C-alpha cells in the first residue's frame, strides 16, 4: 500500500487543498497536525488565535473522518522537533511520501527545509506545494528579475500573468477505504496567558468560511468599494481569520468572484474588483517575506529607518493598548480588537499610525501587540501593515502623511456610531461631539483627555523622520 502522509498546518480544509489533493491522487492518506504552542507563542500568537486554530483542527478532523482519513495529532512545542515527529509517523505507518503546502515566513521555511532534508536522508519522498498564493514567490518578478517592493506593479503583473490553471480548484479527496489507523483524540488546550476573545464571532471550519464568503458576495461584495472604509458598516468580508488559517483558499474566493462577475477579476463590478485587489495585497506581502527576509528578522524594509529615534513611553503604550488615548476612534478600535480579536482595516491603519507617528513608539511593539490579540494574526500581512503605517516598509505611506485621528473619525464614522458601540460612555453625546468630546465633560464621562496634541505630535514625528539621512 502506497500510504501518503499529509502534514496540515495553516491550510485547515479538505476542499481545494493542493497537498491533500496531490496525496489522495497517489494513494490512501493519513493526515497529521503538529501542535507547536511554545513556537507559536514565541511568534507572538495569543490565546485568541491559538484557540481558533484548535477549533479549526477539530472541525477539520470531522471533515476528514467523513473521508475515512485519520488525523494524527502530535504536540511538538517547537518547530525543530518537526522532522523527528514526522519521520516517526512515516516509519510507523510505512509512509511512502510526505506532502505539505508551503508557508512563507522565515522560521516556517527553515522548518520545512529541515523536514525535506530529513526525509531525503531517510530516503522517503517529500514534497511541498505552493498553495496559499497564485504565484510561487520568486516566479512573479520585476523586469530586472527582483522581487517587487511596490504593490501596483506587482498587482498589474499578477493580473497580466494569472492563468486559468492557477485558479483551478483542486478536487477534494474521495472517500477512501478505512485504514487500520485511528485518529488521535484532540487534547484540550493548556492554560494560555490570556482568555480567548471573540469565540462567538468566529466559529471555526471551512463550512462557516464558505458561508461567510457566499453571504459577503451576495449582500456586500458589490458595495465593497464604497463601504469598505466605514467601520460602523459591515462592509468587508471578515474572512481574514479563515484565510489566515486556510479554512478557505484564495482560489475559492477568486472563483466565487468570477462567477459573480462574468468570469472577470480585473474588470466588471467595481466592488468585486476592489476586493480582488485586497487578496492580491495579501499575496504581495507573502512574496515580500520571502524576497526580503530581513523583515522576518524584526528589521525595517527601508534600511535608513533603522536609525529612527523611537521614544520610550510605557505610559503612552499602555494607554494605546487599553484604548485610553483620548482619541475616540483610536480607543474604539483598540477595544474592538481586545473584545472580538478583529479590527477593521481602516482602523488598523489609524491605530498603527497613531502609535508609530503620534506617540513615536517603535512599530514593532504595536506589531507584537496586534499579533497577540488578533484572531487573524498573520505574520506577512501584519508586518506589512505595520511597516506601511510606520513608513518603514515596502510601498509604505510617505512619512509626512500622518492621519489626523479626529478627521479620520469624522470622515469614516460620520455619525459616531462605531465610537458609541465600543466606547459606550460617549454614546450619551450628540453624534458630532463623539469625535472629540468637550473637555469640560470628560470627568463626567469618565473618559481621558487626549494623551498627545495632534499638531505637536505630528511635528515631532516629522522632525524624527527628517533627521534620518537616506
Ligand atoms: C497595521 C495592520 C496590521 C494588519 N494585520 C493583519 C493580520 O495580522 N492578518 C491579516 O489577515 N491582515 C492584516 N492586515 C490587513 C487587513 O487589515 C485585514 O486583512 C482586513 O482588515 C481583514 O478584514 P476582512 O477579512 O474583512 O478584509 P477584506 O477587506 O474583506 O479583504 C479580503 C481579504 O484580503 C486580505 N487583505 C485585505 N487587506 C489586506 C492588506 N492590507 N494586507 C494583506 N492582506 C489583506 C485579507 O486576507 C482579507 O481577509 C493588517 C493591516 C494593517 C494596516
Amino acid at each position: 500500500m502506497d500510504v501518503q502522509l499529509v502534514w496540515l498546518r495553516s491550510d485547515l480544509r479538505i476542499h481545494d487543498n493542493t497537498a491533500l489533493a496531490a496525496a489522495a491522487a497517489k494513494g490512501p492518506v493519513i493526515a497529521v497536525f503538529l501542535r507547536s504552542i511554545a513556537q507559536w507563542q514565541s511568534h507572538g500568537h495569543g490565546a485568541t488565535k491559538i484557540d481558533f486554530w484548535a477549533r479549526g483542527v477539530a472541525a477539520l478532523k470531522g471533515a476528514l473522518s467523513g473521508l475515512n482519513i485519520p488525523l494524527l495529532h502530535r504536540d511538538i512545542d517547537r518547530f525543530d522537533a518537526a522532522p523527528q515527529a514526522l519521520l516517526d509517523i512515516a516509519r510507523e505507518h510505512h509512509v511512502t511520501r510526505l506532502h505539505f503546502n508551503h508557508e512563507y515566513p522565515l522560521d516556517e521555511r527553515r522548518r520545512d527545509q529541515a523536514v525535506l532534508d530529513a526525509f531525503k536522508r531517510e530516503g522517503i519522498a517529500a514534497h511541498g506545494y505552493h498553495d496559499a498564493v497564485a504565484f510561487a514567490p520568486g516566479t512573479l518578478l520585476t523586469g530586472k528579475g527582483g522581487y517587487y517592493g511596490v504593490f501596483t506593479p506587482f498587482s498589474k503583473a499578477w493580473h497580466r500573468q494569472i492563468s486559468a490553471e492557477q485558479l483551478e480548484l483542486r478536487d477534494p479527496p474521495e472517500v477512501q477505504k478505512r485504514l487500520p489507523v485511528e485518529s488521535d483524540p484532540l487534547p484540550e488546550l493548556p492554560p494560555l496567558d490570556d482568555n480567548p476573545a471573540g469565540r462567538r464571532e468566529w466559529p471555526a471550519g471551512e463550512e462557516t468560511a464558505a458561508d461567510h464568503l457566499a453571504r459577503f458576495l451576495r449582500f456586500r461584495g458589490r458595495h465593497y468599494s464604497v463601504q469598505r472604509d466605514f467601520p460602523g458598516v459591515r462592509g468587508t468580508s471578515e474572512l481574514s481569520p479563515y484565510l489566515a488559517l486556510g479554512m478557505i483558499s484564495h482560489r475559492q474566493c477568486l472563483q466565487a468572484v468570477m462567477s459573480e462577475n462574468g468570469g472577470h477579476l480585473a474588470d466588471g463590478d467595481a466592488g468585486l474588483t476592489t476586493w480582488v485587489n485586497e487578496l492580491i495585497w495579501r499575496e504581495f506581502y507573502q512574496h515580500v517575506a520571502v524576497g526580503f527576509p530581513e523583515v522576518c528578522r524584526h528589521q525595517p524594509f527601508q534600511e535608513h529607518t533603522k536609525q529612527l529615534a523611537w521614544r520610550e513611553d510605557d505610559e503612552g503604550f499602555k494607554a494605546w493598548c487599553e484604548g485610553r488615548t483620548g482619541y475616540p476612534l483610536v480607543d474604539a478600535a483598540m477595544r474592538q480588537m481586545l473584545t472580538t480579536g478583529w479590527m477593521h482595516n481602516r482602523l488598523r491603519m489609524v491605530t498603527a499610525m497613531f502609535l508609530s507617528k503620534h506617540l513615536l513608539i517603535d512599530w514593532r511593539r504595536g506589531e507584537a501587540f496586534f499579533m497577540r490579540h488578533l484572531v487573524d494574526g498573520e505574520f506577512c500581512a501584519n508586518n506589512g501593515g505595520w511597516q506601511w503605517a510606520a513608513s518603514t516598509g515596502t510601498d509604505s505611506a510617505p512619512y509626512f502623511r500622518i492621519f489626523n485621528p479626529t478627521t479620520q473619525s469624522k470622515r469614516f464614522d460620520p455619525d459616531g456610531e462605531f465610537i458609541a458601540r465600543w466606547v459606550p460612555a460617549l454614546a450619551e453625546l450628540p453624534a458630532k461631539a463623539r469625535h472629540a468630546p468637550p473637555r469640560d465633560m470628560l470627568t463626567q464621562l469618565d473618559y481621558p483627555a487626549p494623551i498627545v496634541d495632534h499638531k505637536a505630535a505630528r511635528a515631532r514625528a516629522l522632525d524624527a523622520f527628517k533627521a534620518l539621512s537616506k
Side-chain angles (χ1 to χ4, degrees), residues 148-190:
Y148 284 97
V150 182
F151 175 72
T152 305
F154 176 87
S155 85
K156 282 189 179 153
W158 190 99
H159 277 295
R160 240 184 355 259
Q161 296 181 38
I162 192 80
S163 67
E165 201 189 340
Q166 282 163 300
L167 297 172
E168 212 172 284
L169 299 182
R170 285 53 166 156
D171 290 331
E174 290 183 2
V175 180
Q176 67 184 25
K177 276 207 195 120
R178 267 185 193 287
L179 292 168
V181 183
E182 289 295 320
S183 286
D184 287 324
L186 299 181
E188 293 280 308
L189 274 181

Side-chain angles (χ1 to χ4, degrees), residues 48 98 147 169 214 232 245 261 264 275 286 318 333 349 377 392 443:
T48 303
L98 171 73
Y147 277 80
L169 299 182
L245 285 185
N261 193 37
H264 303 294
W275 194 62
Q286 306 217 16
K318 190 161 184 280
M349 297 194 288
T392 63
T443 317

